Amino acid sequence: GENVEQHPSTLSVQEGDSAVIKCTYSDSASNYFPWYKQELGKRPQLIIDIRSNVGEKKDQRIAVTLNKTAKHFSLHITETQPEDSAVYFCAASRSNYQLIWGAGTKLIIKP
Amino acid sequence: ETGVTQTPRHLVMGMTNKKSLKCEQHLGHNAMYWYKQSAKKPLELMFVYNFKEQTENNSVPSRFSPECPNSSHLFLHLHTLQPEDSALYLCASSQDPGQGDQPQHFGDGTRLSIL
């Protein structure tokens, strides 16, 4: 069935460095790819999303890239800060409402 | 953001108890969802409601029974749960149930522990 694989499961980076989280999806008809951030004890919150008609989207220190041919998409966080520490989830869907979720990446920002 | 509110935040129950989780959204959305979140696993979609009608039931055991009296309220009735049902139960809503590319807004969840 459809699935989304997310790597790495844990990522530790020095404050100020960049972090990259990668996801692959199996359903070539997927056309929507959101990223959610979940801080400890809090709700998942959408931080950025991308649709299949674009290859890259940026919002300040956050960017997402999409390679439809390879069925990969990635989250890039530059100039990481302590408040970036959280679990990040990727997801993919096509034109229905069932998002398929990755297992999450725990991002640790070291001071 | 307080658009999606879940109660209670924490619940401890025995396997023979009956309890209910409540979710309310103040965003004017038309679709509501129940997810189960277990440690180190992807979010598991349990149920989807569009305009109060259940449209998805992802092979969820009958000990979980959803109820959606209107587009703003969603309940999850629990009875005779098992220890493996201990998890964080998240409610979410989105604007248009027919469009896959609608952001979902989550509540803070109910942390459920089964003794």
Side-chain angles (χ1 to χ4, degrees):
Chain A
E2 304 165 18
N3 73 295
V4 173
E5 294 190 3
Q6 184 172 347
H7 298 281
S9 57
T10 304
L11 177 60
S12 183
V13 302
Q14 202 70 37
E15 182 179 350
D17 289 350
S18 296
V20 180
I21 302 170
K22 300 181 179 181
C23 289
T24 60
Y25 58 98
S26 59
D27 184 358
S28 58
S30 295
N31 57 7
Y32 176 62
F33 308 91
W35 286 89
Y36 284 78
K37 174 184 180 182
Q38 187 176 26
E39 296 177 56
L40 188 63
K42 296 190 176 180
R43 67 188 72 191
Q45 291 194 300
L46 180 70
I47 56 171
I48 196 167
D49 57 12
I50 192 168
R51 289 167 174 77
S52 58
N53 57 343
V54 299
E56 183 176 5
K57 184 177 179 180
K58 287 184 179 179
D59 183 3
Q60 300 182 333
R61 297 186 296 108
I62 294 172
V64 56
T65 58
L66 172 64
N67 182 331
K68 287 188 293 182
T69 303
K71 293 189 282 188
H72 289 170
F73 59 112
S74 300
L75 178 70
H76 304 252
I77 306 174
T78 58
E79 302 172 16
T80 53
Q81 300 170 5
E83 54 265 35
D84 295 328
S85 294
V87 178
Y88 292 81
F89 294 94
C90 64
S93 76
R94 42 173 158 166
S95 296
N96 58 41
Y97 34 74
Q98 186 159 345
L99 283 171
I100 307 299
W101 296 81
T105 296
K106 183 176 183 179
L107 177 61
I108 300 167
I109 308 300
K110 297 181 290 185
Chain B
E1 178 186 339
T2 58
V4 180
T5 304
Q6 289 187 244
T7 54
R9 291 294 310 276
H10 303 274
L11 179 61
V12 179
M13 56 187 287
M15 289 190 285
T16 58
N17 292 157
K18 290 184 180 181
K19 296 287 184 183
S20 296
L21 309 185
K22 179 181 176 181
C23 177
E24 184 175 359
Q25 59 97 1
H26 307 278
L27 300 169
H29 288 170
N30 296 311
M32 297 186 78
Y33 312 78
W34 278 119
Y35 285 94
K36 177 183 179 181
Q37 186 175 34
S38 304
K40 300 183 179 179
K41 288 186 178 181
L43 282 166
E44 298 174 49
L45 179 65
M46 300 175 72
F47 302 103
V48 182
Y49 277 82
N50 301 327
F51 298 101
K52 305 187 303 175
E53 299 298 322
Q54 183 176 316
T55 56
E56 289 283 333
N57 176 341
N58 281 2
S59 303
V60 180
S62 59
R63 57 185 183 268
F64 295 93
S65 175
E67 178 189 0
C68 189
N70 55 61
S71 294
S72 299
H73 293 85
L74 184 65
F75 296 89
L76 188 62
H77 304 299
L78 316 172
H79 65 99
T80 60
L81 295 193
Q82 303 299 309
E84 60 265 28
D85 297 323
S86 297
L88 181 68
Y89 288 84
L90 289 162
C91 173
S93 69
S94 66
Q95 175 64 46
D96 186 345
Q99 299 294 326
D101 61 352
Q102 297 287 320
Q104 293 185 15
H105 297 256
F106 286 84
D108 285 325
T110 295
R111 175 68 61 185
L112 178 65
S113 298
I114 307 300
L115 300 179

